[in-house]
Amino acid sequence: MTVSALIVAAGRGRRAVLAGSSGGAADSAQEEMPKQYRPIGGAPMLVHAIRAFGEHPGVDQVLVVIHEGDQARYDEIAQGLSPKLLPAVVGGSQRQDSVRSGLEALAVSPPDQVLIHDAARPFVDSALIQRVIDSLKTTMGALPCLPVTDTLKRSKNGIVTDTVDRTGLWRAQTPQGFRFQDILDAHRAAAGLSMNFTDDASIAEWYGLPVAQVEGSEANQKVTTNEDFILAEARLTGAAHLDGLRVGSGYDVHRFGEGDALVLGGVSIPHDKALSGHSDADVVLHALTDALLGAIGDGDIGAHFPPTDQQWAGADSSVFVKDAVRRVKDRGGCILNADVTILCEAPKIGPHRDAMRGRIAELLGVDTGRIGVKATTQEGLGAIGRGEGIAAMATVSVNLQRS
Ligand code: MG
């Protein structure tokens, strides 16, 4: 039993370059790149499909049908890719013509079965390929299908006319598997007819070959539009998700002065000293403010609230945090979490930890579970260790929307 994979990569789809194109210099450079050769996760889309079949133990040879203008491009990417790879064949103007060219090339030394696959489905996996091969043991044609889950509408001139009953409807994928001689005969019979077949199963159906359903794969989506490429890239590298991620850090220290309470993390704590400073000297909220500003690269607390400005004398430091949160939101940002470490010998932080977490969560507009408050002593070392003041460090992560 020999199995050949036939990958169709001869199309000149313009959807990926037209959708969302702003017509800049970068776009025109991209426009010259057919989508099969556009990189996803560091490799051209076509390479992912070739690898999937080349690495499958049940596939003996892989043949790619290319556009006549892509020979040099193809040779470059195909170099050393798989020992199963045959020299490429040039396709025709319609998908059907391209598949037939591939089948005729394989017919010189015909395999028992052929799996016909679109290069625009780079996420075909080994399990799906195996399901198609297994199905061909008992059927003449095998078609990967997924159920239609969206409600289907028919419309005319932008107005919905009715709802289509989706019972018995399926979404067809590739690879579509056939006994080689059958599908070659069907394609030869269909050649020259103006039937506009969009896949090989429809040619098999037209020719009277029974085609069995095989379970498709949600991951095996077609990559067609620019948005598809962005999602595909995100899936392979995680880059799109991480692109909006920002982390900021902040640090502050205030010395002790006379008093009977101090404010930490927005919570008033009775103590035999107070923290001295221009505002209420809440080191935790000051460090947190700097972390928020740092995450969006927007200066620091001193730049926005100068200590020389009398209006901030004795101010509740939540004002500073709220202002920084507004700045994050103005940039389309969403705060993911914040973590604070307080450095002091006294007072004990533990009894006030949850109150601080609650207040900080309230100021940042997030769940308390996203706020960490920890404390450590300095083992008597340095100014903090001698009990001369309190320091705080804060880290904040922010998700900015992709621009
Ligand atoms: Mg300060």
Side-chain angles (χ1 to χ4, degrees), residues 151-156 159-165:
T151 300
L152 297 179
K153 300 289 180 185
R154 186 175 285 111
S155 69
K156 196 172 181 185
I159 303 296
V160 174
T161 55
D162 65 321
T163 300
V164 179
D165 181 6

Side-chain angles (χ1 to χ4, degrees), residues 188-243:
R188 282 176 174 168
L193 301 177
S194 51
M195 301 280 287
N196 193 25
F197 294 110
T198 54
D199 73 348
D200 303 288
S202 54
I203 293 178
E205 294 151 27
W206 167 81
Y207 193 63
L209 297 175
V211 176
Q213 257 183 268
V214 172
E215 186 192 350
S217 155
E218 284 294 349
N220 184 34
Q221 292 297 323
K222 226 171 180 177
V223 178
T224 303
T225 64
N226 276 335
E227 191 185 7
D228 294 338
F229 272 92
I230 290 166
L231 289 172
E233 183 71 29
R235 192 168 138 190
L236 283 182
T237 65
H241 295 301
L242 290 175
D243 189 49

Side-chain angles (χ1 to χ4, degrees), residues 280-366:
D280 65 5
D282 187 335
V283 282
V284 170
L285 295 194
H286 293 184
L288 191 63
T289 301
D290 268 354
L292 287 161
L293 295 171
I296 55 171
D298 189 2
D300 60 21
I301 190 170
H304 299 297
F305 302 96
T308 50
D309 190 335
Q310 279 312 305
Q311 69 169 309
W312 310 121
D316 176 346
S317 294
S318 65
V319 171
F320 310 141
V321 178
K322 285 175 184 166
D323 182 73
V325 169
R326 175 190 59 80
R327 289 170 187 274
V328 170
K329 298 214 161 131
D330 282 351
R331 302 199 184 193
C334 157
I335 296 163
L336 299 177
N337 79 309
D339 187 27
V340 171
T341 300
I342 301 167
L343 295 79
C344 66
E345 303 298 308
K348 283 199 180 307
I349 301 301
H352 308 285
R353 183 202 311 270
D354 285 338
M356 285 187 217
R357 291 177 68 216
R359 177 60 178 150
I360 293 170
E362 186 183 2
L363 290 172
L364 300 191
V366 301

